[in-house]
Every structure is written in C-alpha cells, then in structure tokens.
Amino acid sequence: MKRILACWMLSFLACITCGVAQAEKAPAAAAAAVTIGGEVAKPLRLDAEALAKHARVAVEANDHGKPGRWEGVRLIDLLREAGVPTGDTLRGPALALYVRIDAADGYRAVYALAELDAGFRDGEVILADRRDGKPLDTKEGPFRIVAPGEKRPARWVRQVTAIDVLRAPAK
Ligand SMILES: Nc1nc2c(c(=O)[nH]1)N[C@H]1C(S)=C(S)[C@@H](COP(=O)(O)O)O[C@H]1N2
Ligand SMILES: [Mo]
C-alpha cells in the first residue's frame, strides 16, 4: 500500500513540474517566430529554422552613428515565398501594396512593397537575426528590420512579430 501511495505521489509531482516547465516555455517559443500574412497567396510562420533555409545576407549600417554588421534574410525573399508579386510581376495594381511590420511593444512601420524590391531600389531591407556575429538581444530581437539606406533608423523595427501585406484603399 505504502509503495502504491509513494508511486502515485511521484507521478503527481512529475506531472506538476512538467506542466510548470511547459507553461514557462510557451511564451518564449511563441515570440521566436514571425508571421507573414495579409494579401499573400501563402501565409507563413517563420521560426529560426525556417529562416535558415533562405539565402543569408550581411549589411553594414549605422545605428545612431554606431556602426554595426547585421545578418539575416532579405525581406523581399520572404515575401516572394509567401506568393507576393516581386521583380517583373511587381507592376500595375501590385504597386498599391504596402508592408506593415508589427513589433511586440505595439510599434509599427510600413514600407511600400516597391521600396523592398531590387528592381526598384538599391539597398537591401533585411529581417536580421544577428548583430556583430551574435544573436540579437531581447531588446532588439530575436528579429529586427534593418534598412541600411535610411538616414534615421526609425523604421528599423525591433522585436518583429508580424509582417502583413496590405493594399492602399482606392479614393
Ligand atoms: N519595436 C520597436 N522598434 C523600434 C522602435 C520602438 O520604439 N519599438 N523605435 C524606432 C526608432 S524611432 C529608432 S530611432 C530605433 C532605435 O533603435 P535602437 O534602440 O537600436 O537605437 O528603433 C526603431 N525601432
Ligand atoms: Mo527614433
């Protein structure tokens, strides 16, 4: 009888600890991904593993006069994977599309889709996950937009959670 009781108590304790551990893990796992949605053919949820499958690029830029080297993936490559028109197909009605970047703290900024496409502009806008060889810290990451061509880093959205393609409404 004693044995049965001890066994029951052990499994009860194991259950509780396991439950607590999972509850603690859940928010961190949810934050470590970026969704791509809105007017896209194929909505995506990108975590570090999914991002690693894309071509990596490195950009050098100044953040308030402080030089840095960020690594990540071109935003336009992610949008293309989501089925958004890019390159030669980015024409006509697609020029009314814009991209809203949302952050965990409620901050948001937009880019016109054409601003992100190499057929229109130089200067790659990237979704960065590393700075100076290290993963981004919690204030900046895990994912941040870096747009080296900008004179001020105000659209370099930190803690990116969602990227949505929207259409400017008709007048
Ligand atoms: N999530 C988020 N990203 C943000 C901001 C913010 O308040 N929240 N501020 C922006 C502004 S106005 C600037 S100047 C830069 C500042 O970046 P830093 O904190 O790395 O210097 O981040 C931009 N990205
Ligand atoms: Mo700013």
Side-chain angles (χ1 to χ4, degrees):
M1 187 61 202
K2 256 192 197 159
R3 251 216 206 148
I4 293 174
L5 196 68
C7 206
W8 182 85
M9 276 178 71
L10 264 181
S11 47
F12 180 73
L13 272 177
C15 251
I16 291 184
T17 359
C18 182
V20 168
Q22 272 185 348
E24 274 170 1
K25 252 191 236 157
V34 172
T35 58
I36 301 198
E39 199 171 319
V40 300
K42 190 178 141 205
L44 301 175
R45 181 181 179 278
L46 298 160
D47 55 13
E49 199 188 335
L51 269 186
K53 294 191 179 121
H54 287 88
R56 310 270 311 164
V57 288
V59 298
E60 302 209 346
N62 276 298
D63 180 0
H64 296 295
K66 196 173 161 240
R69 183 177 186 275
W70 284 265
E71 288 164 53
V73 171
R74 286 182 199 92
L75 200 45
I76 199 74
D77 288 352
L78 302 177
L79 293 166
R80 189 181 308 108
E81 195 199 337
V84 175
T86 62
D88 283 348
T89 60
L90 178 42
R91 53 176 69 238
L95 291 165
L97 296 174
Y98 64 98
V99 180
R100 183 186 62 204
I101 320 281
D102 274 286
D105 61 354
Y107 192 78
R108 61 189 190 277
V110 306
Y111 290 86
L113 180 58
E115 282 184 278
L116 306 175
D117 193 279
F120 284 83
R121 284 203 176 197
D122 290 332
E124 297 167 321
V125 179
I126 70 166
L127 183 68
D129 55 8
R130 297 178 81 79
R131 177 180 188 157
D132 301 327
K134 286 180 287 228
L136 300 183
D137 63 24
T138 49
K139 185 196 159 216
E140 194 175 14
F143 308 110
R144 182 187 198 172
I145 297 292
V146 177
E150 311 258 281
K151 289 184 181 160
R152 290 169 52 204
R155 293 200 291 176
W156 296 21
V157 180
R158 293 187 256 103
Q159 302 176 9
V160 175
T161 54
I163 298 170
D164 285 283
V165 178
L166 301 162
R167 180 175 291 280
K171 250 169 87 180

